[in-house]
Amino acid sequence: MRRLSSLASRSKPSLQNLTKPPKNTPISPQIPLKFTNPSSPSPSRGNSPINYHCISQFLSRNDWFLLLNHELKAKRLILNPQFVISFLQNQENPLFPLRFYIWVSNIDPLFAKNPSVKAALANALYQKGPVLLSVELVNDIRNSGLGFTEDLICVLIGSWGRLGLAKYCAEIFGQISFLGINPSTRLYNAVIDALIKSNSLDLAYLKFQQMSADNCKPDRFTYNILIHGVCKAGVIDEAVRLVKQMESFGYSPNVYTYTILIDGYCNARKVNDAFRLIETMKKRNVFPNEATVRSLIHGVFRCVAPRKAFELLIMFLEKEPMMQRLACDTLLFCLSNHHMATEAALFMNKLSGRGYMPDNSTFNLTMTCLIKGFNLDETCQILDSYIERGLKPGFNTYLALMQALYSVGKCAEGDRYFDQMTKGGLLSTVISYNMVIDCFCKASMTDKARETFNEMCFRGIAPTLVTFNTLIGGHCKIGQVHDARKFLVLLLEFGFDPDIFTFSSLIDGLCRAHMIDDAFDCFTEMYWWNVTPNDVTYNILIRSLCVIGDVARAMKLVRKMQAAGISADVFSFNALIQSFCRMKKIEKAKKLLVTMLTLGVDPDKYTYGTFIKAFCESERFDEAIGMFHVMEAKGCFPDPYTCNLVLESLVWKGRLEDARNIVKRCNQRGTKLNLIPGL
């Protein structure tokens, strides 16, 4: 039997502290739920309803219409909107949804009018289409005794527009009389909308001008479609002209018209006009809806600087208390997306005093923003205040806050939120447990990670390979190789095979514990388990060999890596270059740099920084300064340590002007520099 001889079998770990699965309750990898596929054949049960697959087979035949009628008459086909929609959504051939829609519309015309059914057909024709009106298709429909309706033509035209078939839309519209359909305002609206969606505004205007020739009058929908098109194209003056023309024909702008115009003004960076339009809506008793508010807030953030947008919107909302409820969630969303944690916290505190409660998704997004960019103590206070008022944070919010608190050593606070998460029932799946265990491992809280693992097993939630890899990696990173071996034993007992992540973590842990020979034994055993080492595995070993000064062996490993078809990357070369520079063998390091560039591997700031440090220590200041300039030219910005080294070298050489130029560039980038005498 294959064994991990250098790892699990070399130790005799005591498993008494690890909870084993209860007897008669085997723990196995979590099995995904099996959902019934509606397209799979169902067991035969006399006159049981036929499934999607059978219907698709009927629709693929020339006598599809007769077959469907027969099944309906035999009561094996029961029609309702849910069934029709589901069938339309689950077809690969776009011709089948079209035929089925035509047939059910003939059986019950209400299906043709159902918005959800039409939307399902439109999506099917767009996602799997296009379906073009060939002579064969038209004859097929007619031979079935059916015909084309205005509803169907509108759906087809809409799908062509979404697919960018502008000319085809215009051509078919000019020939619809051959289908027995006369042009109408509704059909004109459909084709104008399709042309605009396919970015053919000129063709849309041409159709608009042809309406009168077919005795069709534009209505409010026609104008709204055109206004949307010109606003999308950034021609706001034409949009205003269309609004005036619409009013002259007796059509007052509605909330959709104003919403489109607000978006257009914002696209044209006319933010004051957008705000004024809200005032116009109030005077005309047109009340903004959620889309209006979203368009205004997102638009203001698009056309002015984020902080200026926040100021303008706060002032505006103070004057419009009725819009605050609609606007607050959107404003918080924009502040979070722009990483404006301070402003988001200020706004949250202000709203809290007014009894405002954001929706859960907005709250969780905002809290994530505060956790990353605001004072942690104040963030916790804001979170606690909303929890007291009944708002429940999501799992990811709790986890992000725990990670932030643990990273700054506030373990008691992190544990408090962990308890809240657990009591709230948010820790209930293997995925959530894996994420929490990973959180504890990253915070070097391996005791807590083990406790969570034990609780997980006690609750009957089966660990996965990810669970064990996370625990093994967490213990290895802090040098607890013995504990990592215990989890390796468990991994094998649960029937898993170690993978590349398992081996890489173990090799890294052994190298950190200065057990290089064991690490190479583990590396050899990878092949016994049919696991191929990757660049990460090789780089761990190369780095470790360089740390102990065994550069020759490290170079040999690089050659083995390349022979295995794995290209050495910047991490491989950096380890070798740093080792040669520490040994004062700069010329060998330079040869490696040439090899690196020849292979197309770009140096990073650590590569350049290593050379600059070595040149300075060897008093080869001109080469250090030259490397610094190359580094900047490649867009690889040096860290403060490297900048200070170069500045000291320039001052020592008396090149004060060059030093001042570097100081100026560093200040522009926000790089903190030491005070250097002479500058």
Side-chain angles (χ1 to χ4, degrees), residues 635-654:
C636 189
F637 300 120
D639 57 24
Y641 176 79
T642 307
C643 292
N644 287 320
L645 265 179
V646 172
L647 287 172
E648 288 170 4
S649 302
L650 287 169
V651 171
W652 189 85
K653 294 279 287 184

Side-chain angles (χ1 to χ4, degrees), residues 157 165 178 208 285 308 380 480 495 527 541 544 547 557 622:
I157 288 172
L165 303 176
F178 294 107
F208 176 65
N285 290 323
K308 180 66 176 175
C380 291
Q480 296 177 348
Y527 296 97
L541 289 167
S544 301
V547 167
L557 196 58
D622 287 338

Side-chain angles (χ1 to χ4, degrees), residues 13-26:
S14 171
L15 305 181
Q16 60 185 357
N17 294 324
L18 298 175
T19 303
K20 288 187 177 180
K23 291 183 179 179
N24 302 322
T25 310

Side-chain angles (χ1 to χ4, degrees), residues 288-303:
N289 60 17
E290 288 187 30
T292 315
V293 174
R294 284 197 301 270
S295 293
L296 177 66
I297 294 173
H298 285 290
V300 173
F301 269 91
R302 277 200 313 272
C303 60

Side-chain angles (χ1 to χ4, degrees), residues 449-479:
R450 286 196 297 271
E451 287 177 17
T452 307
F453 174 77
N454 292 341
E455 180 196 336
M456 173 184 177
C457 293
F458 182 76
R459 292 182 61 187
I461 297 174
T464 64
L465 183 59
V466 173
T467 317
F468 288 112
N469 281 345
T470 304
L471 287 161
I472 290 169
H475 285 85
C476 284
K477 281 179 182 176
I478 59 173

Side-chain angles (χ1 to χ4, degrees), residues 231-246:
C231 284
K232 182 181 171 184
V235 193
I236 190 65
D237 293 338
E238 174 61 11
V240 173
R241 187 193 71 77
L242 284 169
V243 171
K244 290 178 181 177
Q245 183 178 327
M246 177 173 74

